[in-house]
Amino acid sequence: EAQRELALAKGMEDELQRVIAEAMAAFAKRDFKRVLELTAMGPSKFERHFGVEELCWLEGCVATGQDAVDHFDACLMIRPGYALAWCARGIAKDMAELGDSEEDYTRALRLNPRLQIAWVNRARARQRKGNLKGAAEDCTRALELGELARAYAFRALATNSMEDCEK
């Protein structure tokens, strides 16, 4: 249905919004080559348009390693208050083992304290650093928000590790 609406261009009078919608549709189909074709024109063609950061975000979602972090950085230069981009930057760092991601998740949570995935991922980052109490607290918050399965698993790991440390 989304493809049909996109083809009819309803609500897509703005060219940038149309490109974003096409890129998101390609992303949903896992057509990452098409995503990159669409997002490549973004920053130069739509430099001062509201929403161009969405193209940078999508580029980051299909990139890997430092390239992904760089795209999220570009997104955040345009829109520093974009909680999901901070969270995605942390995930990209974690996946490529590019350093501490805890601050990225913390920034995301300051902007959107209901962002469940940021609570769970910050718990993982804290657990890796040995902050087991903080990890368990973050998992509890994620559970309160409804992020059940992963939060229970990480809270159990953190709690078990704390108990092992106390022995």
Side-chain angles (χ1 to χ4, degrees):
E1 187 173 316
Q3 279 299 114
R4 185 174 54 83
E5 292 297 320
L6 188 58
L8 296 172
K10 288 185 176 180
M12 298 290 168
E13 290 78 26
D14 181 271
E15 185 181 3
L16 173 59
Q17 295 306 312
R18 184 172 178 76
V19 170
I20 291 169
E22 285 182 36
M24 288 181 158
F27 185 82
K29 290 185 201 174
R30 305 185 62 76
D31 184 354
F32 301 139
K33 181 179 177 189
R34 181 66 179 145
V35 172
L36 291 173
E37 289 170 3
L38 290 162
T39 58
M41 72 170 106
S44 59
K45 185 172 183 176
F46 302 108
E47 183 179 4
R48 302 219 186 275
H49 288 71
F50 177 77
V52 72
E53 73 279 1
E54 298 292 344
L55 295 177
C56 297
W57 180 81
L58 279 165
E59 277 185 301
C61 289
V62 298
T64 58
Q66 188 60 51
D67 286 342
V69 173
D70 291 345
H71 288 299
F72 294 126
D73 284 344
C75 175
L76 291 163
M77 290 291 291
I78 297 166
R79 186 172 152 200
Y82 195 177
L84 193 55
W86 283 109
C87 186
R89 182 174 178 249
I91 292 169
K93 284 181 176 180
D94 286 344
M95 290 177 69
E97 299 179 2
L98 291 174
D100 188 15
S101 57
E102 182 179 351
E103 180 58 28
D104 292 333
Y105 299 126
T106 299
R107 289 181 118 175
L109 290 166
R110 278 190 207 123
L111 293 163
N112 182 356
R114 298 196 55 76
L115 191 57
Q116 297 169 353
I117 192 169
W119 287 106
V120 173
N121 285 324
R122 189 173 77 170
R124 288 184 63 216
R126 286 179 163 184
Q127 182 182 6
R128 282 192 302 272
K129 291 168 65 175
N131 180 357
L132 303 177
K133 183 176 187 282
E137 291 169 356
D138 284 354
C139 287
T140 298
R141 181 66 181 130
L143 289 168
E144 292 168 357
L145 294 170
E147 182 65 36
L148 299 177
R150 292 187 340 163
Y152 272 124
F154 290 126
R155 187 172 72 174
L157 282 171
T159 302
N160 289 338
S161 295
M162 283 191 301
E163 289 170 1
D164 289 345
C165 290
E166 291 171 359
K167 290 180 183 178

